[in-house]
Amino acid sequence: MSHYRSNLRDVEFNLFEVNRLGDYLGAPPFEEFDPDTVRAVLAEVDRMAKDEFAASFVEADRTPLELVDGEVKLPDALRRSIDAYYDGDWDLFALPRSLGGAGTPPSVIRAAEEFLVGANPTAYFYVIGTLMAMVIDGVGTPEQSQRFAKPMVERHWGGTMVLTEPDAGSDVGAGVTRATQIEDEIYHLEGVKRFITSGEHDYSENIVHLVLARRDGAGPGTKGLSMFIVPKYLVNDDGTLGERNGVVCTRIEHKMGIRGSTTCELTFGADRPAIGYLVGGVHQGIRQMFHVIEQARMLIGIKSASTLSTGYLNALDYAKERLQGPDLTQARDKTAPRVPVISHPNVRRLLMTQKAFAEGLRALYSYAGWVQDQIRVHPDDDHWERLNDLLLPLVKGYSSEKAYQLLAQSLQVLGGSGFTQDYPMEQYIRDAKIDTLYEGTTGIQALDLFFRKIVRDQGATLTRVGSEVAEFVKGGADGDPFAAERELLGTALEDTQALVGAMVAALMAAQQEPTEVYKAGLHANPLLESLSELLIGWRLLVHAEIATAALEGANPDDRAFYEGKVASGRWFAANVLPGIGLRRARAEGEDGALMELPVEAF
């Protein structure tokens, strides 16, 4: 039986009942889609994800990868999972029409990604060459699209994003990999990169690396970086593969999780020239690379949400079946029958915590997916782009932190059995930890949220979202069953706004006393947490309202689902939203003493 437990019902609830996807399907730019088509497609992705795609989840983790003469051979089971993905043409699902895709709504793409990256993140990381193809097609020259992007799709070539260097780490602008111009857009690259996902493997006949490097004479920092196409094998004018290029995997990382994914050190130009092609013929590397980074951050947030969801659903199945101990009301009766552990208060507390957050993280990424749809539907309104920018660090940063934290509770429900490899929990936890680290650590996401997405925007987008939350708070009529929850949400909104205000005040004070900026830095992560929880609380209460209206006349299965949605919204409002007030108090009382503490005192 598959390890993966999906929640297709909640995915469809988000798409159709909450975000009302059906209202804009059938019209440009999504004229080729209707609700029945979307439901059928998602049902098939869900099936494939649980069956063929998930089948290699364990074997890929248990089979050590080896680097032999610069090559890495993938396990047969993993190859079969990847085959199933390509055999179903799922690589075309997210592509634009220019590359043979269907022009699928982004919200539907995100839903499909939940199934795939939750069922087998290792396998999914090998098939994201299509993302690199989209970037080359979008910002490269027509010749580069023809030579690289199209065969990446048609021949299933691999693709990577290559940023990190051993001595630079998250400070991408400190990279020293050099690019020396040979002629026109052709350069020779020299340097070493590390932590490159899928940087070497034998599934694809070619791997195309998108590499950031600093051309001779370029300035410091990220502005001096350019992006280059560096294929594993050079591509001849007629499309055939030429000789091996001078980019070689010189080491694979042995990791805590996603062990079947080759995470590589790549060396450029050691034994032979590493030929790279300047993307688009322009030196705009970091701007171009952000087309990849933003998609990757969204994917990682979805991976986190999906892993928490399957962890919770596995724990729920176990809790319904595992008999242990009497009911608490009969604890003194030694003859009382054993009950399923879901009958015990503490287990129910653990399960409801996981349920509310699993549904909340899905609600957050689904809302972001809906916003991405609006970018396509309303291309002349830049609000949607700015709102998407605001949401990305929340989806990536908060989801990854919360999923890793709560997967420990999924394991806890299983007791000692959860600590063994008989169940997938321990692998979920190992595989999930990386989500808080790559594509920008949570601290980086938090700084990006405050200094770029809020301050540079002068709070305009945040204010508009806040006004929508405020409208919901005021929206209850007489006899409103969610009056108490609206009040909690209103208080959380005020607390979040005050937290932002305290950080902005520190930033303003830093103009006179530079060290005051530390006070803002100390509370960047709490701001990311607070804003994420505010928006999740809002979305879950919207869900609860919709579910309440749908309860009348619902069949038994739907009734249980809708009752669960109401319970999640109420629980989140009562148990999570009040915590934002504590973060506000800490920010307003911040004295900066932590930054004055001598290093020796730690």
Side-chain angles (χ1 to χ4, degrees):
M1 184 176 180
S2 174
H3 77 92
Y4 181 57
R5 306 286 188 272
S6 66
N7 197 336
L8 178 60
R9 179 67 181 86
D10 195 37
V11 168
E12 291 184 340
F13 175 78
N14 276 272
L15 287 173
F16 294 106
E17 297 178 66
V18 178
N19 295 333
R20 302 183 63 84
L21 176 64
D23 288 354
Y24 53 89
L25 293 181
F30 308 126
E31 62 271 20
E32 297 180 14
F33 289 85
D34 58 58
D36 289 343
T37 299
V38 170
R39 291 180 188 275
V41 166
L42 290 180
E44 178 56 22
V45 178
D46 180 47
R47 183 210 62 76
M48 192 273 288
K50 287 188 288 191
D51 294 343
E52 300 98 325
F53 209 62
S56 63
F57 177 73
V58 172
E59 185 171 333
D61 179 71
R62 309 288 194 269
T63 306
L65 297 176
E66 296 183 2
L67 177 65
V68 179
D69 297 328
E71 303 280 348
V72 176
K73 180 177 175 58
L74 298 189
D76 289 341
L78 184 55
R79 299 177 71 90
R80 288 193 294 271
S81 291
I82 300 172
D83 284 342
Y85 176 84
Y86 285 122
D87 289 346
D89 288 333
W90 296 115
D91 56 312
L92 304 179
F93 188 64
L95 288 175
R97 293 184 179 91
S98 63
L99 285 175
T104 310
S107 61
V108 180
I109 295 171
R110 301 314 176 197
E113 285 175 341
E114 174 178 341
F115 301 138
L116 294 165
V117 80
N120 198 335
T122 288
Y124 198 66
F125 288 163
Y126 285 109
V127 300
I128 58 175
T130 50
L131 169 58
M132 314 309 161
M134 284 192 293
V135 172
I136 294 172
D137 184 61
V139 300
T141 65
E143 192 276 335
Q144 288 170 347
S145 179
Q146 184 66 35
R147 182 179 291 245
F148 298 107
K150 290 187 177 359
M152 289 177 77
V153 174
E154 295 167 358
R155 295 157 68 175
H156 305 159
W157 289 357
T160 73
M161 52 188 297
V162 184
L163 291 81
T164 307
E165 298 187 12
D167 294 326
S170 296
D171 186 5
V172 175
V176 296
T177 295
R178 294 177 51 214
T180 302
Q181 188 174 23
I182 303 304
E183 59 174 306
D184 299 327
E185 65 177 29
I186 301 175
Y187 286 72
H188 283 177
L189 275 66
E190 294 182 36
V192 177
K193 300 281 189 175
R194 71 178 307 196
F195 297 152
I196 309 306
T197 300
S198 306
E200 172 57 46
H201 57 88
D202 68 340
Y203 184 86
S204 303
E205 65 176 4
N206 204 4
I207 301 172
V208 177
H209 307 287
L210 294 182
V211 185
L212 287 184
R214 195 178 308 278
R215 72 186 189 280
D216 291 339
T222 56
K223 291 183 179 180
L225 296 174
S226 302
M227 188 163 78
F228 300 88
I229 298 168
V230 184
K232 177 179 176 179
Y233 288 95
L234 298 175
V235 182
N236 297 321
D237 291 341
D238 62 359
T240 60
L241 295 186
E243 64 180 11
R244 179 73 185 258
N245 200 5
V247 51
V248 179
C249 175
T250 44
R251 183 173 181 264
I252 57 174
E253 307 290 348
H254 299 283
K255 310 184 298 293
M256 170 181 170
I258 53 169
R259 293 173 174 172
S261 170
T262 50
T263 306
C264 301
E265 174 187 85
L266 294 180
T267 299
F268 297 83
D271 298 324
R272 68 176 69 185
I275 296 174
Y277 305 88
L278 179 66
V279 176
V282 294
H283 295 286
Q284 298 176 355
I286 197 66
R287 183 185 65 81
Q288 294 169 331
M289 186 63 83
F290 257 94
H291 291 288
V292 185
I293 293 171
E294 289 174 356
Q295 295 290 329
R297 287 177 174 175
M298 186 74 184
L299 176 65
I300 297 310
I302 294 172
K303 172 181 179 292
S304 300
S306 185
T307 306
L308 175 59
S309 180
T310 187
Y312 157 64
L313 293 172
N314 272 275
L316 179 62
D317 284 349
Y318 185 90
K320 290 177 179 178
E321 298 170 359
R322 170 67 171 170
L323 301 178
Q324 185 165 317
D327 188 272
L328 191 59
T329 62
Q330 299 178 291
R332 294 188 178 184
D333 183 354
K334 303 305 180 186
T335 64
R338 295 183 303 158
V339 297
V341 296
I342 197 171
S343 302
H344 300 313
N346 185 56
V347 173
R348 288 205 164 204
R349 179 185 63 83
L350 293 174
L351 289 172
M352 180 50 74
T353 303
Q354 295 166 60
K355 171 181 168 64
F357 276 101
E359 294 176 7
L361 298 184
R362 179 178 295 114
L364 182 62
Y365 94 67
S366 296
Y367 177 59
W370 174 79
V371 169
Q372 291 162 14
D373 285 356
Q374 304 315 303
I375 294 172
R376 300 272 303 279
V377 174
H378 305 288
D380 297 328
D381 186 351
D382 69 350
H383 165 71
W384 302 110
E385 286 279 9
R386 290 186 285 109
L387 180 54
N388 184 55
D389 288 343
L390 180 73
L391 292 173
L392 277 176
L394 309 182
V395 171
K396 195 280 180 186
Y398 186 78
S399 298
S400 61
E401 288 288 347
K402 210 65 195 178
Y404 180 68
Q405 174 189 340
L406 292 179
L407 282 165
Q409 292 192 9
S410 303
L411 187 152
Q412 189 75 14
V413 171
L414 276 70
S417 294
F419 199 64
T420 72
Q421 293 188 339
D422 296 334
Y423 294 89
M425 302 303 189
E426 60 86 28
Q427 186 175 340
Y428 287 163
I429 291 173
R430 290 188 289 105
D431 286 356
K433 181 54 203 170
I434 187 62
D435 297 347
T436 69
L437 303 174
Y438 59 8
E439 312 311 334
T441 63
T442 309
I444 290 172
Q445 302 298 320
L447 293 174
D448 175 65
L449 171 66
F450 179 65
F451 288 102
R452 293 195 180 97
K453 307 304 172 56
I454 294 177
V455 173
R456 286 188 185 178
D457 187 45
Q458 297 182 319
T461 305
L462 181 62
T463 298
R464 182 163 166 177
V465 174
S467 67
E468 293 185 49
V469 177
E471 287 178 16
F472 179 84
V473 169
K474 300 172 184 176
D478 292 341
D480 176 23
F482 298 104
E485 286 77 18
R486 288 184 202 274
E487 183 176 353
L488 288 165
L489 183 64
T491 300
L493 175 60
E494 293 174 2
D495 289 335
T496 304
Q497 291 169 333
L499 173 52
V500 173
M503 295 174 65
V504 170
L507 190 60
M508 296 296 290
Q511 296 180 20
Q512 301 298 323
E513 178 51 62
T515 58
E516 287 291 298
V517 74
Y518 291 146
K519 294 181 179 179
L522 287 167
H523 294 276
N525 279 51
L527 171 62
L528 182 145
E529 295 167 359
S530 297
L531 184 54
S532 298
E533 289 169 4
L534 173 71
L535 297 186
I536 289 172
W538 169 42
R539 301 316 298 166
L540 288 184
L541 289 176
V542 169
H543 289 195
E545 275 200 331
I546 293 171
T548 298
L551 273 169
E552 185 175 351
N555 63 48
D557 287 342
D558 275 346
R559 173 167 289 277
F561 172 79
Y562 289 132
E563 287 174 345
K565 298 303 294 183
V566 173
S568 294
R570 291 192 188 280
W571 184 92
F572 196 93
N575 292 275
V576 179
L577 292 182
I580 298 175
L582 179 58
R583 298 193 194 104
R584 168 190 180 173
R586 288 171 176 165
E588 291 178 334
E590 181 59 62
D591 61 4
L594 183 61
M595 298 305 296
E596 298 174 359
L597 189 66
V599 172
E600 294 78 13
F602 280 89

